[in-house]
Amino acid sequence: MDVDQAKIPQATAKRLPLYYRFLESLQASGKHRVSSSELSDAVKVDSATIRRDFSYFGALGKKGYGYNVNYLLTFFRKTLDQDEITKVILVGVGNLGTAFLNYNFTKSNSTRIEMAFDVDKDKVGEEIGSVPIYHLDQLPDKVGDDVEVAILTVPAHAAQVIADQLVASGIKGILNFTPARLSVPENVRIHHIDLSVELQSLIYFLRHYPI
């Protein structure tokens, strides 16, 4: 089934990896069929939204039957390019960066951190989680055309300068874990993940919207 990805809402696109991860767990448990209500309970997205998300991709299920787990998993694997390895670099080998390197997306068969960069001479030349660490000055020479994504875990005051270096080196997507709001060209996509803001938001909702 050919799908015009440009017509898929961004909110729907953001939920696809969530659906995919749950479907993987279902397949691993030997389950062959799932309903939208079961999906809803698992991923905490209401059933109507799930049905609407899936409707953008055509007839993925049958009324009264639900969804075939293997079929959905195969379809979304293709949609999310899960059969292709996406090479990622990481800049900033502090506590958070080190955690990423040790984990290195071992639960994903499609995303892998290839190399990391830092300015700490005690870290440069070492490996963490089998990932080599290079000096930041080597970034332009090390990043090839086959690397388009970077994870940024550096101090906020250095984030913009390094983001500029990443863009100049051909990076097209940045996952920004710094508090800094970065300015990048229109052809570069950036996702901001501010852990302190998320924590404050969680605490606010706990206090003012008790479950």
Side-chain angles (χ1 to χ4, degrees):
M1 182 189 304
D2 293 326
V3 177
D4 185 352
Q5 298 291 340
K7 294 183 179 179
I8 306 301
Q10 289 191 27
T12 293
K14 278 192 170 185
R15 286 189 287 268
L16 296 186
L18 186 64
Y19 299 147
Y20 181 81
R21 183 172 59 186
F22 177 63
L23 290 166
E24 277 190 315
S25 67
L26 286 182
Q27 186 185 57
S29 68
K31 187 158 185 173
H32 301 293
R33 183 171 63 177
V34 64
S35 67
S36 57
S37 61
E38 288 175 304
L39 274 170
S40 175
D41 290 340
V43 300
K44 307 305 178 188
V45 176
D46 65 87
S47 297
T49 297
I50 291 174
R51 289 192 293 270
R52 185 170 62 250
D53 286 346
F54 284 11
S55 71
Y56 291 110
F57 301 94
L60 296 182
K62 296 179 181 179
K63 189 174 182 179
Y65 175 86
Y67 301 98
N68 181 287
V69 171
N70 290 336
Y71 176 78
L72 273 186
L73 197 57
T74 299
F75 179 81
F76 284 127
R77 179 182 294 118
K78 181 180 178 182
T79 302
L80 293 167
D81 295 324
Q82 291 294 297
D83 293 326
E84 298 181 14
I85 296 293
T86 299
K87 296 179 180 179
V88 179
I89 65 170
L90 180 139
V91 183
V93 190
N95 292 334
L96 181 58
T98 297
F100 276 125
L101 295 181
N102 281 319
Y103 179 71
N104 201 11
F105 303 99
T106 53
K107 295 182 180 180
S108 169
N109 60 4
S110 64
T111 309
R112 183 173 64 229
I113 300 176
E114 289 285 295
M115 62 189 86
F117 298 87
D118 205 282
V119 295
D120 186 343
K121 59 184 179 182
D122 292 332
K123 297 174 181 177
V124 172
E126 300 296 319
E127 288 189 359
I128 297 179
S130 299
V131 178
I133 303 172
Y134 300 103
H135 195 280
L136 185 60
D137 291 343
Q138 297 176 273
L139 192 149
D141 297 324
K142 291 293 183 181
V143 177
D145 294 337
D146 60 338
V147 179
E148 294 184 321
V149 178
I151 300 172
L152 195 56
T153 54
V154 299
H157 66 83
Q160 184 62 61
V161 172
I162 295 175
D164 293 341
Q165 291 177 299
L166 291 171
V167 171
S169 298
I171 293 297
K172 298 298 182 185
I174 300 174
L175 190 60
N176 176 32
F177 279 89
T178 81
R181 284 300 177 259
L182 306 177
S183 176
V184 295
E186 291 184 357
N187 65 329
V188 175
R189 179 173 289 274
I190 185 163
H191 284 196
H192 298 279
I193 303 177
D194 190 328
L195 298 179
S196 63
V197 169
E198 294 298 329
L199 181 59
Q200 288 174 340
S201 176
L202 173 62
I203 293 170
Y204 176 84
F205 276 96
L206 282 175
R207 290 176 177 171
H208 298 281
Y209 297 90
I211 297 174

